[in-house]
Amino acid sequence: MDNQDIRKAGLKVTLPRIKILELLENNTQRHVSAEDVYKMLLDKGEEIGLATIYRVLTQFETAGLVTRHNFEGGHAVFELDRGGHHDHMVCMVCGKVEEFIDTTIEKRQREIAKEHGFEMVDHSLIIYGHCGNPKCKVGY
Amino acid sequence: MDNQDIRKAGLKVTLPRIKILELLENNTQRHVSAEDVYKMLLDKGEEIGLATIYRVLTQFETAGLVTRHNFEGGHAVFELDRGGHHDHMVCMVCGKVEEFIDTTIEKRQREIAKEHGFEMVDHSLIIYGHCGNPKCKVGY
DNA sequence: ACTTGCAATGAAAAAGATTCTCATCATCAT
DNA sequence: ATGATGATGAGAATCTTTTTCATTGCAAGT
Ligand SMILES: [Mn+2]
Ligand SMILES: [Mn+2]
Ligand SMILES: [Zn+2]
Ligand SMILES: [Zn+2]
Protein backbone atom coordinates (compact mmCIF):
# COMPACT_ATOMS: atom_id res chain seq x y z
CA MET A 1 0.00 0.00 0.00
CA ASP A 2 1.94 3.03 -1.20
CA ASN A 3 1.89 6.07 -3.46
CA GLN A 4 1.52 3.86 -6.51
CA ASP A 5 -1.88 2.79 -5.22
CA ILE A 6 -2.94 6.42 -5.17
CA ARG A 7 -1.60 6.94 -8.67
CA LYS A 8 -3.23 3.76 -9.96
CA ALA A 9 -6.54 5.10 -8.71
CA GLY A 10 -6.16 8.00 -11.11
CA LEU A 11 -5.48 10.44 -8.29
CA LYS A 12 -2.57 12.84 -7.91
CA VAL A 13 -0.07 11.93 -5.24
CA THR A 14 -0.52 14.74 -2.76
CA LEU A 15 0.61 15.19 0.83
CA PRO A 16 -2.91 14.88 2.29
CA ARG A 17 -3.50 11.61 0.43
CA ILE A 18 -0.12 10.20 1.46
CA LYS A 19 -0.67 11.13 5.10
CA ILE A 20 -4.22 9.76 5.23
CA LEU A 21 -3.13 6.48 3.66
CA GLU A 22 -0.18 6.21 6.05
CA LEU A 23 -2.43 6.79 9.02
CA LEU A 24 -4.94 4.16 7.93
CA GLU A 25 -2.05 1.78 7.46
CA ASN A 26 -0.22 2.35 10.74
CA ASN A 27 -2.94 3.29 13.21
CA THR A 28 -3.70 0.67 15.84
CA GLN A 29 -7.41 1.40 15.55
CA ARG A 30 -8.36 -0.08 12.19
CA HIS A 31 -11.85 1.43 12.07
CA VAL A 32 -11.84 5.20 12.21
CA SER A 33 -14.25 8.03 11.45
CA ALA A 34 -13.35 11.02 9.27
CA GLU A 35 -13.22 13.09 12.45
CA ASP A 36 -10.86 10.51 14.01
CA VAL A 37 -8.51 10.79 11.03
CA TYR A 38 -8.65 14.57 11.21
CA LYS A 39 -7.75 14.69 14.90
CA MET A 40 -5.09 11.99 14.72
CA LEU A 41 -3.36 13.80 11.89
CA LEU A 42 -3.59 17.07 13.83
CA ASP A 43 -1.90 15.34 16.77
CA LYS A 44 0.93 14.39 14.43
CA GLY A 45 1.23 18.01 13.30
CA GLU A 46 -0.46 17.47 9.94
CA GLU A 47 -3.06 20.17 9.44
CA ILE A 48 -5.33 18.71 6.78
CA GLY A 49 -8.79 20.18 6.37
CA LEU A 50 -11.73 18.04 7.41
CA ALA A 51 -13.34 18.53 3.99
CA THR A 52 -10.24 17.06 2.40
CA ILE A 53 -10.37 14.07 4.74
CA TYR A 54 -13.94 13.38 3.67
CA ARG A 55 -13.12 13.89 0.00
CA VAL A 56 -10.08 11.65 0.06
CA LEU A 57 -11.74 8.89 2.06
CA THR A 58 -14.59 8.83 -0.43
CA GLN A 59 -12.13 8.75 -3.33
CA PHE A 60 -10.22 5.91 -1.67
CA GLU A 61 -13.49 4.08 -1.22
CA THR A 62 -14.36 4.49 -4.89
CA ALA A 63 -10.88 3.29 -5.79
CA GLY A 64 -11.34 0.20 -3.65
CA LEU A 65 -8.56 1.13 -1.24
CA VAL A 66 -10.89 1.73 1.68
CA THR A 67 -14.20 0.37 2.92
CA ARG A 68 -16.90 2.45 4.58
CA HIS A 69 -19.07 1.01 7.33
CA ASN A 70 -22.34 2.33 8.75
CA PHE A 71 -22.09 1.13 12.32
CA GLU A 72 -24.56 2.57 14.80
CA GLY A 73 -23.71 6.03 16.06
CA GLY A 74 -24.65 8.34 13.23
CA HIS A 75 -21.25 8.56 11.58
CA ALA A 76 -19.42 6.38 9.08
CA VAL A 77 -16.19 4.58 9.89
CA PHE A 78 -13.51 3.68 7.39
CA GLU A 79 -10.86 1.01 7.20
CA LEU A 80 -8.02 0.23 4.84
CA ASP A 81 -8.80 -2.69 2.56
CA ARG A 82 -6.22 -5.25 3.53
CA GLY A 83 -6.70 -8.92 2.77
CA GLY A 84 -10.30 -9.39 1.76
CA HIS A 85 -13.85 -9.07 2.92
CA HIS A 86 -14.81 -9.71 6.51
CA ASP A 87 -17.64 -8.91 8.89
CA HIS A 88 -17.76 -7.16 12.26
CA MET A 89 -18.69 -7.54 15.88
CA VAL A 90 -19.05 -4.32 17.87
CA CYS A 91 -19.12 -3.95 21.66
CA MET A 92 -22.05 -1.73 22.60
CA VAL A 93 -20.24 -0.55 25.74
CA CYS A 94 -16.61 0.13 24.87
CA GLY A 95 -16.89 0.24 21.08
CA LYS A 96 -14.31 -2.51 20.54
CA VAL A 97 -14.51 -3.97 17.04
CA GLU A 98 -13.61 -7.57 16.20
CA GLU A 99 -13.44 -8.93 12.70
CA PHE A 100 -14.49 -12.33 11.49
CA ILE A 101 -15.30 -14.25 8.36
CA ASP A 102 -17.48 -17.32 8.13
CA THR A 103 -17.74 -19.34 4.95
CA THR A 104 -21.06 -20.88 5.98
CA ILE A 105 -22.68 -17.47 6.34
CA GLU A 106 -21.06 -16.12 3.19
CA LYS A 107 -22.39 -19.06 1.20
CA ARG A 108 -25.91 -18.85 2.61
CA GLN A 109 -26.05 -15.15 1.81
CA ARG A 110 -25.29 -15.78 -1.84
CA GLU A 111 -27.91 -18.52 -1.96
CA ILE A 112 -30.56 -16.40 -0.26
CA ALA A 113 -29.94 -13.44 -2.56
CA LYS A 114 -30.35 -15.73 -5.57
CA GLU A 115 -33.53 -17.27 -4.15
CA HIS A 116 -35.00 -13.76 -4.05
CA GLY A 117 -33.89 -12.87 -7.56
CA PHE A 118 -31.22 -10.48 -6.30
CA GLU A 119 -27.71 -10.16 -7.63
CA MET A 120 -25.69 -9.62 -4.48
CA VAL A 121 -23.15 -6.84 -4.86
CA ASP A 122 -22.17 -6.35 -1.26
CA HIS A 123 -23.36 -7.07 2.22
CA SER A 124 -22.98 -5.83 5.77
CA LEU A 125 -23.17 -8.11 8.79
CA ILE A 126 -22.64 -6.55 12.18
CA ILE A 127 -23.09 -8.35 15.48
CA TYR A 128 -23.76 -6.00 18.40
CA GLY A 129 -23.20 -7.14 21.95
CA HIS A 130 -20.97 -7.08 25.00
CA CYS A 131 -17.32 -7.95 24.56
CA GLY A 132 -15.19 -10.13 26.83
CA ASN A 133 -14.11 -7.25 29.05
CA PRO A 134 -15.83 -7.71 32.47
CA LYS A 135 -16.55 -3.98 32.58
CA CYS A 136 -18.65 -4.39 29.45
CA LYS A 137 -20.84 -7.14 30.88
CA VAL A 138 -24.34 -6.34 32.11
CA GLY A 139 -24.66 -5.50 35.79
CA TYR A 140 -21.14 -4.20 36.22
CA MET B 1 -51.19 -3.20 17.76
CA ASP B 2 -53.41 -0.48 19.21
CA ASN B 3 -53.63 2.28 21.77
CA GLN B 4 -53.09 -0.20 24.56
CA ASP B 5 -49.61 -0.85 23.20
CA ILE B 6 -48.85 2.84 23.57
CA ARG B 7 -50.23 2.84 27.10
CA LYS B 8 -48.34 -0.32 28.03
CA ALA B 9 -45.15 1.42 26.97
CA GLY B 10 -45.78 3.99 29.70
CA LEU B 11 -46.66 6.66 27.16
CA LYS B 12 -49.75 8.83 27.03
CA VAL B 13 -52.18 8.05 24.25
CA THR B 14 -51.95 11.17 22.11
CA LEU B 15 -53.09 11.92 18.59
CA PRO B 16 -49.56 12.06 17.13
CA ARG B 17 -48.71 8.67 18.62
CA ILE B 18 -51.95 7.11 17.40
CA LYS B 19 -51.47 8.50 13.90
CA ILE B 20 -47.83 7.45 13.65
CA LEU B 21 -48.65 3.93 14.84
CA GLU B 22 -51.55 3.71 12.40
CA LEU B 23 -49.37 4.81 9.55
CA LEU B 24 -46.64 2.28 10.35
CA GLU B 25 -49.33 -0.36 10.50
CA ASN B 26 -51.19 0.45 7.29
CA ASN B 27 -48.56 1.87 4.99
CA THR B 28 -47.58 -0.36 2.07
CA GLN B 29 -43.97 0.62 2.47
CA ARG B 30 -42.88 -1.14 5.66
CA HIS B 31 -39.52 0.61 5.98
CA VAL B 32 -39.84 4.36 6.28
CA SER B 33 -37.68 7.25 7.38
CA ALA B 34 -38.82 9.89 9.86
CA GLU B 35 -39.11 12.30 6.96
CA ASP B 36 -41.24 9.74 5.09
CA VAL B 37 -43.62 9.48 8.04
CA TYR B 38 -43.78 13.25 8.31
CA LYS B 39 -44.69 13.72 4.66
CA MET B 40 -47.11 10.81 4.50
CA LEU B 41 -49.01 12.15 7.49
CA LEU B 42 -49.04 15.62 5.93
CA ASP B 43 -50.57 14.10 2.81
CA LYS B 44 -53.30 12.67 5.00
CA GLY B 45 -53.90 16.08 6.52
CA GLU B 46 -52.20 15.32 9.83
CA GLU B 47 -49.81 18.15 10.65
CA ILE B 48 -47.45 16.58 13.16
CA GLY B 49 -44.12 18.27 13.79
CA LEU B 50 -41.03 16.50 12.52
CA ALA B 51 -39.46 16.73 15.98
CA THR B 52 -42.41 14.83 17.36
CA ILE B 53 -42.04 12.15 14.71
CA TYR B 54 -38.41 11.64 15.71
CA ARG B 55 -39.28 11.65 19.41
CA VAL B 56 -42.14 9.19 19.06
CA LEU B 57 -40.25 6.83 16.78
CA THR B 58 -37.41 6.71 19.28
CA GLN B 59 -39.87 6.09 22.11
CA PHE B 60 -41.55 3.32 20.13
CA GLU B 61 -38.14 1.82 19.50
CA THR B 62 -37.30 1.89 23.21
CA ALA B 63 -40.68 0.30 23.93
CA GLY B 64 -39.96 -2.47 21.45
CA LEU B 65 -42.81 -1.50 19.12
CA VAL B 66 -40.51 -0.37 16.34
CA THR B 67 -37.10 -1.31 14.98
CA ARG B 68 -34.59 1.17 13.59
CA HIS B 69 -32.28 0.23 10.72
CA ASN B 70 -29.15 1.97 9.51
CA PHE B 71 -29.30 1.19 5.82
CA GLU B 72 -26.98 3.14 3.53
CA GLY B 73 -28.16 6.63 2.67
CA GLY B 74 -27.39 8.71 5.71
CA HIS B 75 -30.77 8.41 7.38
CA ALA B 76 -32.39 5.78 9.59
CA VAL B 77 -35.45 3.82 8.56
CA PHE B 78 -38.06 2.42 10.91
CA GLU B 79 -40.49 -0.46 10.76
CA LEU B 80 -43.24 -1.73 13.00
CA ASP B 81 -42.23 -4.82 14.94
CA ARG B 82 -44.57 -7.45 13.63
CA GLY B 83 -43.75 -11.14 13.90
CA GLY B 84 -40.15 -11.40 14.93
CA HIS B 85 -36.62 -10.66 13.88
CA HIS B 86 -35.60 -10.80 10.24
CA ASP B 87 -32.87 -9.50 7.98
CA HIS B 88 -32.92 -7.37 4.84
CA MET B 89 -31.97 -7.24 1.21
CA VAL B 90 -31.90 -3.79 -0.40
CA CYS B 91 -31.86 -2.99 -4.12
CA MET B 92 -29.14 -0.44 -4.78
CA VAL B 93 -31.05 0.94 -7.77
CA CYS B 94 -34.74 1.19 -6.85
CA GLY B 95 -34.45 0.89 -3.06
CA LYS B 96 -36.77 -2.10 -2.85
CA VAL B 97 -36.45 -3.95 0.44
CA GLU B 98 -37.03 -7.68 0.85
CA GLU B 99 -37.07 -9.43 4.17
CA PHE B 100 -35.72 -12.86 4.99
CA ILE B 101 -34.73 -15.04 7.89
CA ASP B 102 -32.32 -17.93 7.78
CA THR B 103 -31.85 -20.25 10.72
CA THR B 104 -28.42 -21.40 9.53
CA ILE B 105 -27.10 -17.85 9.57
CA GLU B 106 -28.82 -17.00 12.84
CA LYS B 107 -27.23 -20.03 14.50
CA ARG B 108 -23.75 -19.37 13.14
CA GLN B 109 -23.90 -15.78 14.35
CA ARG B 110 -24.58 -16.89 17.89
CA GLU B 111 -21.74 -19.39 17.72
CA ILE B 112 -19.30 -16.88 16.28
CA ALA B 113 -20.14 -14.28 18.91
CA LYS B 114 -19.51 -16.85 21.63
CA GLU B 115 -16.23 -17.93 20.04
CA HIS B 116 -15.07 -14.34 20.37
CA GLY B 117 -16.23 -13.96 23.96
CA PHE B 118 -19.10 -11.68 22.96
CA GLU B 119 -22.61 -11.82 24.31
CA MET B 120 -24.70 -11.10 21.23
CA VAL B 121 -27.48 -8.60 21.92
CA ASP B 122 -28.51 -7.79 18.39
CA HIS B 123 -27.28 -7.98 14.86
CA SER B 124 -27.78 -6.38 11.49
CA LEU B 125 -27.43 -8.26 8.22
CA ILE B 126 -28.10 -6.36 5.03
CA ILE B 127 -27.52 -7.72 1.55
CA TYR B 128 -27.06 -5.00 -1.09
CA GLY B 129 -27.54 -5.77 -4.75
CA HIS B 130 -29.76 -5.54 -7.79
CA CYS B 131 -33.32 -6.77 -7.48
CA GLY B 132 -35.26 -8.84 -9.98
CA ASN B 133 -36.59 -5.83 -11.86
CA PRO B 134 -34.84 -5.74 -15.29
CA LYS B 135 -34.46 -1.97 -14.96
CA CYS B 136 -32.32 -2.56 -11.89
CA LYS B 137 -29.89 -4.91 -13.62
CA VAL B 138 -26.48 -3.67 -14.73
CA GLY B 139 -26.29 -2.43 -18.27
CA TYR B 140 -29.87 -1.36 -18.56
C1' DA C 1 -67.73 17.17 34.53
C1' DC C 2 -63.72 20.21 36.89
C1' DT C 3 -59.11 20.68 38.47
C1' DT C 4 -54.48 20.07 38.09
C1' DG C 5 -49.86 17.98 37.63
C1' DC C 6 -46.93 16.34 34.51
C1' DA C 7 -46.10 14.60 30.07
C1' DA C 8 -46.34 15.83 25.17
C1' DT C 9 -46.22 18.98 21.38
C1' DG C 10 -44.68 22.49 17.87
C1' DA C 11 -41.54 25.84 16.33
C1' DA C 12 -37.31 27.24 16.18
C1' DA C 13 -32.69 26.88 17.38
C1' DA C 14 -28.83 23.93 17.88
C1' DA C 15 -25.95 20.19 17.02
C1' DG C 16 -23.53 16.80 14.38
C1' DA C 17 -22.10 14.79 10.03
C1' DT C 18 -21.07 15.48 5.46
C1' DT C 19 -20.89 18.03 1.10
C1' DC C 20 -20.31 22.06 -1.72
C1' DT C 21 -18.26 26.52 -3.40
C1' DC C 22 -14.64 29.05 -4.80
C1' DA C 23 -10.28 31.29 -4.63
C1' DT C 24 -5.62 29.71 -4.26
C1' DC C 25 -2.08 26.24 -4.70
C1' DA C 26 0.39 21.90 -6.16
C1' DT C 27 1.12 18.07 -9.26
C1' DC C 28 2.62 16.20 -13.43
C1' DA C 29 2.78 15.67 -18.46
C1' DT C 30 4.96 18.25 -21.86
C1' DA D 1 10.38 25.24 -16.43
C1' DT D 2 5.54 25.94 -17.82
C1' DG D 3 0.86 25.45 -17.96
C1' DA D 4 -3.40 22.84 -17.73
C1' DT D 5 -5.85 20.61 -14.60
C1' DG D 6 -6.75 18.64 -10.41
C1' DA D 7 -6.45 19.29 -5.28
C1' DT D 8 -6.80 21.91 -1.13
C1' DG D 9 -8.58 24.85 2.75
C1' DA D 10 -11.94 27.76 4.76
C1' DG D 11 -16.21 28.58 5.28
C1' DA D 12 -20.86 28.24 3.84
C1' DA D 13 -24.41 25.16 2.95
C1' DT D 14 -27.05 20.96 3.43
C1' DC D 15 -29.07 17.17 5.67
C1' DT D 16 -30.44 14.54 9.57
C1' DT D 17 -31.44 14.45 14.23
C1' DT D 18 -31.76 16.47 18.89
C1' DT D 19 -32.70 20.05 22.18
C1' DT D 20 -35.02 24.02 24.21
C1' DC D 21 -38.87 26.14 25.89
C1' DA D 22 -43.33 28.10 25.95
C1' DT D 23 -47.84 26.22 25.33
C1' DT D 24 -51.18 22.48 25.21
C1' DG D 25 -53.54 18.22 26.41
C1' DC D 26 -53.91 13.68 28.77
C1' DA D 27 -55.50 11.35 32.69
C1' DA D 28 -55.91 10.66 37.68
C1' DG D 29 -58.48 12.18 41.29
C1' DT D 30 -62.32 15.01 43.03
MN1 LIG E 1 -12.91 -4.40 9.45
MN1 LIG F 1 -37.98 -5.36 7.91
ZN1 LIG G 1 -16.48 -3.83 25.40
ZN1 LIG H 1 -34.54 -2.65 -7.85
Side-chain angles (χ1 to χ4, degrees), chain A residues 102 108 121-122 125 128, chain B residues 102 108-109 121-122 125 128:
Chain A
D102 183 80
R108 277 303 290 142
V121 172
D122 193 13
L125 169 53
Y128 294 100
Chain B
D102 183 80
R108 277 303 291 142
Q109 284 180 149
V121 172
D122 193 13
L125 169 54
Y128 294 100

Side-chain angles (χ1 to χ4, degrees), chain A residues 30-31 67 69 71 79-80 86-88 97-100:
Chain A
R30 290 163 75 95
H31 308 84
T67 300
H69 302 291
F71 294 170
E79 73 171 311
L80 193 60
H86 57 260
D87 293 307
H88 299 88
V97 178
E98 294 243 345
E99 306 181 332
F100 69 90

